Every structure is written in structure tokens, then in C-alpha cells.
Amino acid sequence: MNKDLFIVASEALKKAALNEDAKKFVLENEKLFNVLKRAANRYIGGETLEETVQSIKKLNSKGYVVTTDFMGESIRNEKDANEATQEFIKFAQTVTQESLNSSISLDLSHIGSLVSKELAMQNLQAICTEAEKSNQEVIISMEGTDRTDQILDIYREVLKSHKNLGITIQAYLHRTKDDFKDVLGLSGSIRLVKGAYDTPKGLSIPRGEALDEVYLDYAEQLLSHNHTCAIASHDEKIHGETLKLVNKYGATNYYLERLLGICNEEFELYKEKGYNCRIYVVYGKEWYLYLCNRWAEYPLNLFRGLADIVG
Ligand SMILES: Cc1cc2nc3c(=O)[nH]c(=O)nc-3n(C[C@H](O)[C@H](O)[C@H](O)COP(=O)(O)OP(=O)(O)OC[C@H]3O[C@@H](n4cnc5c(N)ncnc54)[C@H](O)[C@@H]3O)c2cc1C
């Protein structure tokens, strides 16, 4: 696909994702809803916890470790944040009861950080307390740049009392060179991503070779220290270089991590070769935004979506 067309398609899909009228139209139109749901199924564990447990069991039985996120973000009232927290707690209990191999991933803005820092901390502590009963990890996702400081503060605070906590770090932010030193000195696991959010000018490195180099430099620091980490990317070049680093340093505390529905074939090969692979599974009813985002970040996925709808 032509690069300019790729960018235009991506922008259009991002707008579609955020357009409330479009979302309402899809949710109220049964036929369209069912058609798009068929495309979404590739990327989600299910709409309900019960469906998702079955998806996780299938992935576990194929040898994949899973991390699971109940979809949602940017909650602006306490009641919804507390309800989301109860869902994560229920998920942690289900993991124990069903002997699933899954950790938890979450956005702090889903459990109250936009209401208050105190609410998010209290909810995160409740989730960590439940999760640590069966050694489940809780990994915090990283959001837009207006939230980075608060997320890192909460992470540092809660890590003092809950060792089963991890953080996501975005390689594309210039500030990460300092944040990275700081979090590498802490005991929690680190998920390394390139970074997904638009940032104000001058704060981030655009996609390209310079970013790949920075990303791989962070990956090398993680793998050479054998720091517990996930190298989360869908980029074949990053995968190839990461595997070389894993072999060079004999790293063991790592995962190559992907989202459900993306890079299936590549990861099957990595797993067969004995590399540690983790799949990020999302579930819930908010799949419309999630589907648009998967299409927006790589518009060629639209063709895959059409095949899923027709097939
Ligand atoms: C497990 C996981 C957790 C994440 N958590 C966060 C988070 O907390 N905060 C955050 O900001 N970002 C997060 N991200 C998103 C991340 O920051 C990137 O935006 C995303 O992974 C795309 O970057 P990339 O490294 O995969 O490759 P890019 O540099 O975007 O693309 C390189 C190549 O990878 C392939 N590729 C990329 N995306 C896709 C796709 N969707 N489908 C098919 N092929 C693709 C294509 O071949 C593409 O040319 C997460 C990603 C993963 C995998």
C-alpha cells in the first residue's frame, strides 16, 4: 500500500473509532453489529468473562501464556471505576478457580485515575491483593503523555506493598531514557512497547529506524540484566533482533508478546522453537473501538477483516 494512502486510511479509521455517532449507529443496527462483530472476534477473547475463560483455556492448552485485559479506559466517575475494579477482581478469582495461566493487564484510567489518584491506587491495591493469592501479575498499561507522570507515581507507590506489579514503558518518548533507568532499578516487570498515542510535538520519536534502534537498546538492557520483561511488538524486525539478544544473553525472564489475532503464524514458529510467548487477550463489550484501533494501526488488516466477515 502506498505510504500516503496508508497514513490517510489510518487517520480516517482513528476518526471513525472516536466518532460517537458512528459507534451509536453500529450498536443500534443489528445487521451491521453482527457483521463487524465477526471481524472483531479475531481480536477479542469474548464479550463475557465466561466466553473469555474458554479462549484462554484454548491458548493455554496450545502452550501460550496469556495476559488479560477487561477492555475500557478514561472512566470519569467513581461508580464505573469501582465496577471495573470488581470485574478485574472477579477475573483474578476465576484464574485461580479455573487454574488458568493468565496475568492481568489494565489501564489505570479504567479503574479511576481520572477521578483521583487515591481512587486508582485503592482500586489497584485491591486487584493486586486478590491477584497475589495465586501469584498472578498485574501489569499497568501506559496511556497518553498527559498521564505518564501520574501512572509512574502510582506504579512506584503500589509496588512498595505489592511485588506482583509491572509497568509498560513507551520507547518512543524522549523522557523514557530517564524513566527507564528508574524502573529498571525497581523489582517489577517491564513491558516494552513502541508507543501508540499521538503526542504533542517534540515529545516522541516517529516510527522508523531511529525508533527501532532506541527500542532495541532498551530491549538489550532488559535482556542483558535478565529483568522480567515482555518485548511487545508486531514488528518482525524487532522480533528477529530480540531473539538474537535472547540467545546472546541466555535470557530466561522474558516474553515475546503480541495482541490476540495479530502475528499468529510468526508466534506459532517462535513458540515451537522454544521461545517464551505471551498473548494479550482483551474482553468485554467495548470491542468496536478496539476493532477500529487495530485497523487504524495497520490498515491492511481491513482486508483480513473483510475475509473474516465473508468467511
Ligand atoms: C501486548 C501489547 C501491549 C501494548 N500496550 C501498549 C500500551 O500500554 N501503551 C501504548 O502506548 N501502546 C501499547 N501497545 C501498542 C504499541 O505501542 C504499538 O503501537 C503497536 O505494538 C504497534 O507497534 P509495533 O512495534 O508492533 O510495530 P510498528 O512500528 O507500528 O509497525 C511495524 C510493522 O509491524 C507490523 N504490524 C504493526 N502493527 C500491526 C498490526 N496491528 N497488524 C499486523 N501487523 C502489524 C507491520 O508489518 C508493520 O509494518 C501495545 C502493544 C502490544 C503488542
Side-chain angles (χ1 to χ4, degrees):
M1 194 187 262
N2 167 299
K3 198 174 166 205
D4 291 339
L5 187 58
F6 202 92
I7 292 168
V8 172
S10 178
E11 288 305 318
L13 285 161
K14 274 185 199 160
K15 281 199 181 123
L18 295 174
N19 185 312
E20 280 301 320
D21 289 340
K23 181 177 166 184
K24 192 162 172 268
F25 184 69
V26 170
L27 296 180
E28 285 173 358
N29 185 318
E30 200 186 328
K31 272 196 189 137
L32 186 57
F33 178 93
N34 288 332
V35 162
L36 285 176
K37 176 75 189 342
R38 263 187 262 160
N41 284 342
R42 155 180 301 277
Y43 302 111
I44 65 170
E47 283 198 76
T48 63
L49 178 55
E50 291 70 26
E51 286 169 12
T52 308
V53 167
Q54 297 315 314
S55 304
I56 297 171
K57 280 187 177 168
K58 265 193 211 149
L59 292 166
N60 286 165
S61 72
K62 287 184 186 163
Y64 287 109
V65 171
V66 166
T67 187
T68 307
D69 185 359
F70 169 53
M71 269 180 281
E73 59 185 292
S74 299
I75 294 294
R76 291 178 194 278
N77 69 79
E78 189 167 343
K79 179 175 165 284
D80 289 350
N82 290 343
E83 275 175 19
T85 302
Q86 286 311 311
E87 180 70 26
F88 281 112
I89 289 175
K90 194 166 148 206
F91 178 78
Q93 290 165 344
T94 308
V95 167
T96 311
Q97 284 152 12
E98 303 273 345
S99 303
L100 304 176
N101 190 343
S102 176
S103 52
I104 293 173
S105 287
L106 52 79
D107 283 15
L108 288 181
S109 69
H110 194 188
I111 58 166
S113 64
L114 301 189
V115 180
S116 73
K117 183 178 168 189
E118 290 66 35
L119 179 67
M121 282 187 49
Q122 185 186 308
N123 282 340
L124 182 61
Q125 276 161 340
I127 295 166
C128 287
T129 300
E130 192 59 47
E132 65 200 353
K133 288 182 187 164
S134 57
N135 291 323
Q136 294 165 53
E137 201 185 3
V138 178
I139 308 155
I140 302 172
S141 295
M142 191 49 80
E143 306 182 42
T145 49
D146 53 333
R147 301 178 185 175
T148 315
D149 279 326
Q150 191 202 45
I151 293 172
L152 288 171
D153 279 355
I154 294 176
Y155 169 62
R156 283 190 213 97
E157 274 302 304
V158 177
L159 186 65
K160 286 179 192 159
S161 50
H162 295 279
K163 297 298 164 214
N164 59 332
L165 192 60
I167 187 77
T168 305
I169 288 291
Q170 296 159 324
Y172 73 160
L173 294 186
H174 294 300
R175 62 171 285 168
T176 293
K177 61 178 184 307
D178 296 323
D179 296 335
F180 188 78
K181 270 189 217 138
D182 177 33
V183 294
L184 192 61
L186 303 173
S187 62
S189 76
I190 299 174
R191 170 190 286 134
L192 182 63
V193 299
K194 284 189 187 172
Y197 296 82
D198 288 338
T199 70
K201 224 171 162 205
L203 295 192
S204 62
I205 309 167
R207 287 290 192 277
E209 275 187 27
L211 175 57
D212 292 350
E213 238 172 70
V214 168
Y215 185 101
L216 288 168
D217 181 55
Y218 292 133
E220 181 156 13
Q221 292 188 56
L222 288 167
L223 296 165
S224 62
H225 286 85
N226 208 17
H227 193 101
T228 308
C229 67
I231 307 300
S233 171
H234 303 126
D235 187 341
E236 250 183 286
K237 174 182 163 194
I238 297 291
H239 297 158
E241 295 301 318
T242 300
L243 297 186
K244 283 187 205 162
L245 292 170
V246 167
N247 294 334
K248 179 174 169 188
Y249 294 107
T252 48
N253 292 332
Y254 73 92
Y255 288 108
L256 268 185
E257 190 174 29
R258 68 168 170 95
L259 301 181
L260 183 67
I262 302 174
C263 295
N264 300 2
E265 293 81 11
E266 283 107 304
F267 268 60
E268 198 55 36
L269 285 178
Y270 303 145
K271 181 170 63 68
E272 274 169 20
K273 287 185 181 163
Y275 294 107
N276 308 335
C277 296
R278 184 164 73 190
I279 300 185
Y280 190 119
V281 172
V282 299
Y283 78 98
K285 299 206 185 292
E286 293 290 326
W287 54 260
Y288 171 73
L289 178 63
Y290 191 78
L291 175 66
C292 289
N293 282 333
R294 298 294 73 75
W295 285 351
E297 74 191 357
Y298 193 62
L300 288 179
N301 281 340
L302 267 172
F303 294 108
R304 215 174 251 278
L306 282 177
D308 290 337
I309 288 166
V310 175

